Amino acid sequence: MECHIYYEGDDDPDKCTARRLEKFDEATLYRTMGQVPYGVVLNPHAEQALSPADAEDGLGTLVALDCSWESAEEASFKMNGVHRALPFLVAANPVNYGRPFQLTTVEALASALCIFGERGRAEAILEPFRWGETFLTLNEEPLRRYSECTDSSEVVAVQEDYLADEE
């Protein structure tokens, strides 16, 4: 599965996971939205949760937006494609460790790859990050359970079960 990123460049370049993905040839970065190919767009404002069924809709293309959380408003996600929100997951990156839904770009892409059943590819894109393996370990159970779902409604049900178990 190809990983593509619309890159706004408003984060600290030294901490930018998108730039590191490009450096290791794991993703392609775009500076204008019109260049971004059609695919499954990871959008926290989407009305539907990402599920394994979406793997075919994106025609093998996964798209993420790399920007600071302060500018990640709905208007930022005006890209062509099938927009889906990631279900509940916890960040492992040093800036947002342990915070739900505060994922870096690489964590978001790796999550989607795991949900699509491409764990090996997820491990590969996380490999350049010292906390990458920790992300998969922290989220092992929910990622496994999400990947076993057939559609978005099942993912939401699993998310609700998982959150109820955590309380």
Side-chain angles (χ1 to χ4, degrees):
M1 173 134 334
E2 294 181 13
C3 295
H4 298 270
I5 302 167
Y6 173 60
Y7 176 68
E8 288 195 346
D10 56 359
D11 279 340
D12 180 345
D14 295 330
K15 296 178 183 171
C16 180
T17 64
R19 288 172 56 136
R20 190 175 297 177
L21 285 173
E22 181 183 49
K23 178 181 174 183
F24 286 95
D25 293 323
E26 295 290 352
T28 305
L29 268 57
Y30 303 90
R31 293 242 182 216
T32 59
M33 227 175 264
Q35 295 176 314
V36 179
Y38 181 92
V40 176
V41 179
L42 301 178
N43 179 347
H45 305 286
E47 293 182 16
Q48 203 170 340
L50 183 77
S51 77
D54 296 313
E56 294 302 314
D57 293 340
L59 307 172
T61 302
L62 206 57
V63 179
L65 168 66
D66 185 87
C67 66
S68 83
W69 279 100
E70 287 77 36
S71 63
E73 297 171 7
E74 194 166 354
S76 301
F77 292 89
K78 299 290 185 207
M79 291 175 267
N80 288 327
V82 178
H83 289 245
R84 296 291 184 261
L86 287 170
F88 175 86
L89 294 162
V90 177
N93 67 78
V95 175
N96 291 308
Y97 184 87
R99 293 185 186 161
F101 299 107
Q102 297 290 306
L103 308 181
T104 62
T105 302
V106 70
E107 288 171 318
L109 289 168
S111 299
L113 289 166
C114 285
I115 291 168
F116 289 166
E118 295 195 25
R119 176 138 179 142
R121 176 87 166 100
E123 290 170 354
I125 70 169
L126 286 166
E127 199 272 324
F129 303 89
R130 67 182 184 280
W131 43 263
E133 190 175 323
T134 303
F135 175 76
L136 293 175
T137 302
L138 275 176
N139 294 289
E140 186 170 354
E141 182 183 349
L143 285 170
R144 179 188 53 75
R145 290 176 67 189
Y146 298 144
S147 72
E148 294 169 352
C149 295
T150 55
D151 61 23
S152 182
S153 62
E154 284 186 22
V155 168
V156 171
V158 167
Q159 173 181 264
E160 289 171 0
D161 286 347
Y162 183 73
L163 290 173
D165 290 346
E166 293 297 303
E167 289 177 357

